[in-house]
């Protein structure tokens, strides 16, 4: 399984970015796909997740209402649409895959998101 995250960058507070996570290597129909982030000096934290099959979603309270996770089955790609970005959203964002939703076993390389005030 390979996960390739992209779409990070520098944006002003209040702006938007869309992250992509391209997955390859197997069939992902039973997987849960997650987004996590890690800011400098902080622990990695959960951001959002989506089930590949049914599209059920879950969000961290800190991003609820601002971020939207979605997937495109045909492209084997998961997205994280981030709106109303805040400086505290600055972090390296990672996508991850959990087979059968049990444990996140596969991780992408991370993409940097920087939000300026």
């Amino acid at each position: 399984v390979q996960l390739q995250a992209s779409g990070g960058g520098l944006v002003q507070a209040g702006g938007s970015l869309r992250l992509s996570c391209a997955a390859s290597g197997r069939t992902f129909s039973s997987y849960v796909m997650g987004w996590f982030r890690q800011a400098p000096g902080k622990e990695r934290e959960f951001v959002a997740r989506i089930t590949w099959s049914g599209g059920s979603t879950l969000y961290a309270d800190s991003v609820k209402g601002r971020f939207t996770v979605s997937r495109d089955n045909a492209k084997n790609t998961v997205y994280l649409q981030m709106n109303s970005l805040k400086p505290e959203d600055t972090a390296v964002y990672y996508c991850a895959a959990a087979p059968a939703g049990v444990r996140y076993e596969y991780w992408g390389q991370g993409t940097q998101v920087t939000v300026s005030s």
Side-chain angles (χ1 to χ4, degrees), residues 56-74:
S56 172
T57 59
L58 183 68
Y59 298 92
D61 288 343
S62 58
V63 307
K64 204 172 292 184
R66 299 188 298 123
F67 290 13
T68 303
V69 61
S70 62
R71 85 269 190 243
D72 185 328
N73 290 352

Side-chain angles (χ1 to χ4, degrees), residues 1-3 23-33 51-53 76 97 106:
V1 174
Q2 291 187 330
L3 303 176
S24 62
R26 64 172 304 134
T27 302
F28 295 93
S29 59
S30 64
Y31 278 52
V32 173
M33 303 297 294
T51 60
W52 202 279
S53 56
N76 264 9
Y106 305 101

Side-chain angles (χ1 to χ4, degrees), residues 63-113:
V63 307
K64 204 172 292 184
R66 299 188 298 123
F67 290 13
T68 303
V69 61
S70 62
R71 85 269 190 243
D72 185 328
N73 290 352
K75 296 182 178 180
N76 264 9
T77 301
V78 177
Y79 303 98
L80 184 68
Q81 178 67 44
M82 305 185 296
N83 298 327
S84 302
L85 283 161
K86 304 175 181 180
E88 51 264 43
D89 294 318
T90 295
V92 177
Y93 283 70
Y94 299 89
C95 61
V102 175
R103 184 172 62 92
Y104 289 98
E105 295 185 4
Y106 305 101
W107 293 82
Q109 85 287 4
T111 184
Q112 176 71 47
V113 171

